[in-house]
């Protein structure tokens, strides 16, 4: 299990969080262990936790229209997951499955909301850092999607991609 100092120094989520702020954040956290093969989150279900992997590895999986699941990414120690449903309550957009035995720390949404309401600096830093993490993930997804569209070589697919991007950044209300 990682120490508080390791979380502060090595986890992007806690960048610039002080030891006192970290103590406040972890005061409401819950530790949980999962055996290899355990489904930690199920796509379509709703829970409001921000998860940090302390040891082990997990795989994020997305359901396909044919009923199968597609592996999206493998997450290791100091990775986070659950952030989309944590900050905007909604069903999980993917499942997370333990590839090995996994130790996690999770922060409950209701407690975090209260910290934000009380003006806790550590909670505000976590929000800022999560935005950075999600921005990096979106940037990588944009590059990957653009490469996929370009590799198709189809003018209609290219036009669909540009239409989608245009709507994503200008028309859709969240």
């Amino acid at each position: 299990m990682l120490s508080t100092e390791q979380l502060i120094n090595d986890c992007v989520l806690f960048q610039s969080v002080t030891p006192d702020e970290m103590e406040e954040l972890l005061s409401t956290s819950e530790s949980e262990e999962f055996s290899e093969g355990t489904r930690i989150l199920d796509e379509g279900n709703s829970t409001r936790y921000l998860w940090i992997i302390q040891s082990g590895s997990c795989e994020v999986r997305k359901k396909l229209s044919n009923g199968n699941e597609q592996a999206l990414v493998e997450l290791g120690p100091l990775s986070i997951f659950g952030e989309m449903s944590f900050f905007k309550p909604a069903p999980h957009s993917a499942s997370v499955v333990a590839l090995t035995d996994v130790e996690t720390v999770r922060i409950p949404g209701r407690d975090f909301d209260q910290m934000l309401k009380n003006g806790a600096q550590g909670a505000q830093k976590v929000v800022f850092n999560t935005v950075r993490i999600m921005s990096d993930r979106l940037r990588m997804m944009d590059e990957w999607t653009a490469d996929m569209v370009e590799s198709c070589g189809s003018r209609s697919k290219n036009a669909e991609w540009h239409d989608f991007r245009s709507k994503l950044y200008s028309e859709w209300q969240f």
Side-chain angles (χ1 to χ4, degrees), residues 82-101:
E83 71 280 0
M84 289 169 51
S85 297
F86 184 76
F87 287 104
K88 184 173 183 181
H92 299 300
S93 63
S95 297
V96 177
V97 178
L99 292 176
T100 65
D101 290 346

Side-chain angles (χ1 to χ4, degrees), residues 14 17 21-29 112 115 122-123 126:
F14 300 116
V17 172
E21 293 165 343
M22 188 67 167
E23 190 174 313
E24 181 180 17
L25 286 164
L26 293 179
S27 70
T28 64
S29 70
F112 190 82
M115 282 187 254
V126 165

Side-chain angles (χ1 to χ4, degrees), residues 57-118:
S57 62
C58 297
E59 186 173 72
V60 179
R61 299 176 182 173
K62 180 74 179 154
K63 287 181 189 171
L64 302 175
S65 59
N66 65 7
N68 293 331
E69 288 184 321
Q70 173 66 49
L72 299 179
V73 68
E74 186 174 324
L75 303 173
L78 302 173
S79 296
I80 68 165
F81 61 89
E83 71 280 0
M84 289 169 51
S85 297
F86 184 76
F87 287 104
K88 184 173 183 181
H92 299 300
S93 63
S95 297
V96 177
V97 178
L99 292 176
T100 65
D101 290 346
V102 175
E103 293 180 20
T104 65
V105 172
R106 64 184 192 180
I107 300 171
R110 68 184 176 283
D111 296 330
F112 190 82
D113 291 346
Q114 190 60 49
M115 282 187 254
L116 283 174
K117 193 174 187 177
N118 294 340

